Amino acid sequence: MYKTIFIGCCGLLAMALSGVTAQATAPIDTLERIEKTATLRVGYGDTAPFSYLDNQGQVVGYSIDICRRLAEQLKVNLGLSSLEIAYVPRTPSNRVQLLNHGDIDIECNASTNTVERRRSALFALSHYFVNVRYVALRESGFKTLEDLAGQSVSVARGTVNVGQVNQVNREQRLHLSVVPVDTLQEAFDLVTDGRVAAFAMDDILLSAMIAESDSPDAYVLSTEPLTESQPLGFMMRLGDDAFAEQVNKALHTIYTSPDMESIYDRWFHQPLPGKGITLNVPMSEALADQLSNP
């Protein structure tokens, strides 16, 4: 068993001001630190159903369930007597910085595994696959990329969607006005308020935000995706190969276990804790193949 530890933003700031930032230039041996501290630092976000705070203030989600089992499996594989989890909030724009500074060891959320991202972080075996689409107000009638020609589109800073929207904009000469903001909710709210025509993001996250909104019927997802299916994975520090190897070894055991079906069902076919919504999203063929043969 292990207990949960929460690290607040003030604590992170205090550590940064006290000089922990210097660790950014020094290599961090995560396995060595885990053995000394018996603590795994896990980054989480505000992105249901992957990771978020429920109405009891507990960190929950599909990714979190997997990472809890990851901690248990690492404890066994590394021969530790205990391994606690320290949950650290992260945003799309600071997640790599938190990894590099040692504030988190692994980001247990929903980061897209791309060639560009792999230049700054290691990725664990994929735990989900997404398409990028856009959400718009139903009354606008927007459903395709061509419908957005000359319109404005919001994106969240620090996400791969910024580059994806810019690429589509160039290739299809859509003359879009791209509006970057700090959080997913800000980007969604711009659509709600009519200040942008659309918000581009992973389809499963958009589905959750629509379902959780005050008027779900007021929104529609694009029928045409901006990208092909893309894998999501847990991010780790670049160069921390020994830790990544142990993580993937543990995830292989978890993904191929009978528990994965119930974990998926818990977050995609049942009401989300603290949200009052049910996504009802069947497992994709790509994910089923990945879990059967990681």
Side-chain angles (χ1 to χ4, degrees), residues 6 15 17 39 43 45 56 59-60 78 83 91 120 124 143 155 158 174 179 192-193 244 269:
F6 290 89
M15 287 190 294
L17 293 176
T39 301
Q56 303 298 317
V59 182
V60 298
L78 298 176
L83 183 58
T91 67
S120 56
K143 294 182 178 180
V155 291
L174 297 175
V179 182
T192 302
D193 297 339
H269 290 145

Side-chain angles (χ1 to χ4, degrees), residues 114 116 145 155 160-176 178 226-228 230:
T114 66
E116 181 181 358
L145 293 178
V155 291
V160 297
N161 310 116
V162 178
Q164 291 165 339
V165 171
N166 285 328
Q167 181 177 349
V168 169
N169 192 20
R170 290 192 303 269
E171 293 176 350
Q172 301 199 22
R173 300 180 180 180
L174 297 175
H175 305 289
L176 299 175
V178 181
L226 279 70
T227 66
E228 299 295 328
Q230 296 181 314

Side-chain angles (χ1 to χ4, degrees), residues 40 42 62-78 105-109 113 122-128 232-236 242-261 263 287 289-294:
L40 179 67
V42 169
Y62 171 66
S63 297
I64 298 302
D65 269 7
I66 295 174
C67 279
R68 284 175 178 156
R69 286 165 174 77
L70 169 63
E72 294 170 357
Q73 192 64 47
L74 285 175
K75 183 180 70 172
V76 173
N77 292 353
L78 298 176
D105 300 317
I106 186 167
E107 187 219 22
C108 290
N109 194 52
N113 184 345
L122 296 176
F123 276 84
L125 295 171
S126 300
H127 63 296
Y128 202 79
L232 304 183
F234 304 139
M235 292 201 304
M236 297 163 288
F243 175 61
E245 182 179 354
Q246 288 294 333
V247 166
N248 282 331
K249 178 182 177 181
L251 288 178
H252 189 284
T253 300
I254 296 165
Y255 290 170
T256 54
S257 74
D259 289 344
M260 274 307 300
E261 184 175 347
I263 294 173
L287 181 57
D289 289 344
Q290 166 71 356
L291 298 181
S292 64
N293 185 27

Side-chain angles (χ1 to χ4, degrees), residues 48-204:
F50 296 98
S51 69
Y52 66 98
L53 292 177
D54 66 11
N55 50 7
Q56 303 298 317
Q58 300 298 310
V59 182
V60 298
Y62 171 66
S63 297
I64 298 302
D65 269 7
I66 295 174
C67 279
R68 284 175 178 156
R69 286 165 174 77
L70 169 63
E72 294 170 357
Q73 192 64 47
L74 285 175
K75 183 180 70 172
V76 173
N77 292 353
L78 298 176
L80 304 176
S81 58
S82 66
L83 183 58
E84 300 173 346
I85 294 181
Y87 288 114
V88 181
R90 88 332 147 241
T91 67
S93 58
N94 73 3
R95 50 189 159 181
V96 173
Q97 180 183 12
L98 291 178
L99 279 170
N100 290 338
H101 286 182
D103 296 317
I104 61 177
D105 300 317
I106 186 167
E107 187 219 22
C108 290
N109 194 52
S111 291
T112 311
N113 184 345
T114 66
V115 173
E116 181 181 358
R117 279 262 176 81
R118 290 195 294 274
R119 296 190 182 102
S120 56
L122 296 176
F123 276 84
L125 295 171
S126 300
H127 63 296
Y128 202 79
F129 292 81
V130 296
N131 288 108
V132 175
R133 299 181 188 272
Y134 68 77
V135 61
L137 292 176
R138 187 178 298 276
E139 63 184 20
S140 70
F142 296 155
K143 294 182 178 180
T144 67
L145 293 178
E146 187 176 352
D147 290 338
L148 287 184
Q151 302 294 330
S152 55
V153 179
S154 59
V155 291
R157 291 189 181 94
T159 66
V160 297
N161 310 116
V162 178
Q164 291 165 339
V165 171
N166 285 328
Q167 181 177 349
V168 169
N169 192 20
R170 290 192 303 269
E171 293 176 350
Q172 301 199 22
R173 300 180 180 180
L174 297 175
H175 305 289
L176 299 175
S177 175
V178 181
V179 182
V181 295
D182 289 331
T183 69
L184 305 187
Q185 191 60 52
E186 285 181 78
F188 188 87
D189 290 344
L190 289 179
V191 176
T192 302
D193 297 339
R195 289 186 285 166
V196 298
F199 164 37
M201 176 47 71
D202 299 345
D203 50 8
I204 184 63

